[in-house]
Amino acid sequence: MSGTLVLVRHGQSEWNLKNLFTGWRDVDLTEQGNAEALAAGEKLKARGLKFDIAFTSALKRAQETCQHILDVVGQSDLKTIRDQALNERDYGDLSGLNKDDARKKWGEEQVHIWRRSYDVAPPGGESLKDTGARVWPYYLHDVQPHVLRGETVLVAAHGNSLRALIMALDGKSGEEIVKLELGTGVPVIYKLNADSTVAKKEVLEG
């Protein structure tokens, strides 16, 4: 029996628009972000997808994206579990800073290392490796059992928490995964075999 796992990065947030490091700061979607989330719902609706359960983070930009999708597919009241294990990577001392200002303070090379290395964390924050250390066990314990029972599961989360999941699902290295760009509001659909291996992957862009 194969199950379906749908991963969606939240729509554009107010701090995405302002070019700020967001991390665990709790900010709203922009008008564009709301539209992206609704468009994701329309793409999934067009595929005839119905969900058995949904998971999202403790941050409202992901929660709002999740709810928009469920509203569009006609499942507004679907059981949705929120957990900070799915939160965005914590950017620590960078949180709330404009990315250009951060480069002026610490230097372009250092900020690039913090943003694009797999295992180097910014001061007071998490690396992508650290993020994966909380995301993957949560997925294995709480999310994957539903998929392996043949259910269709929605996970609406964040760029880096989803990168950590995709790294494991796709068998990518740390170097490969940091280069992966996840568009806001773009659904990624996995069909998983009963042994948890990936049978099929599809990205609903455009």
Side-chain angles (χ1 to χ4, degrees), residues 96-147:
L97 290 180
N98 182 283
K99 292 171 185 175
D100 292 331
D101 291 339
R103 292 185 187 100
K104 290 174 185 174
K105 182 173 182 179
W106 284 288
E108 182 149 356
E109 183 179 354
Q110 182 61 69
V111 172
H112 180 77
I113 290 170
W114 286 331
R115 291 189 67 198
R116 290 303 180 196
S117 69
Y118 173 61
D119 56 3
V120 180
E126 294 177 308
S127 66
L128 181 55
K129 184 179 180 180
D130 297 329
T131 307
R134 59 174 163 82
V135 172
W136 187 242
Y138 179 76
Y139 169 78
L140 289 176
H141 185 267
D142 292 80
V143 181
Q144 182 175 266
H146 291 277
V147 185

Side-chain angles (χ1 to χ4, degrees), residues 51-79:
F51 298 101
D52 295 289
I53 192 167
F55 293 86
T56 189
S57 76
L59 301 170
K60 58 188 176 184
R61 58 191 185 274
Q63 294 170 7
E64 291 165 357
T65 297
C66 186
Q67 192 59 52
H68 281 324
I69 291 170
L70 294 177
D71 289 345
V72 171
V73 300
Q75 293 185 282
S76 299
D77 297 328
L78 185 72
K79 180 179 180 181

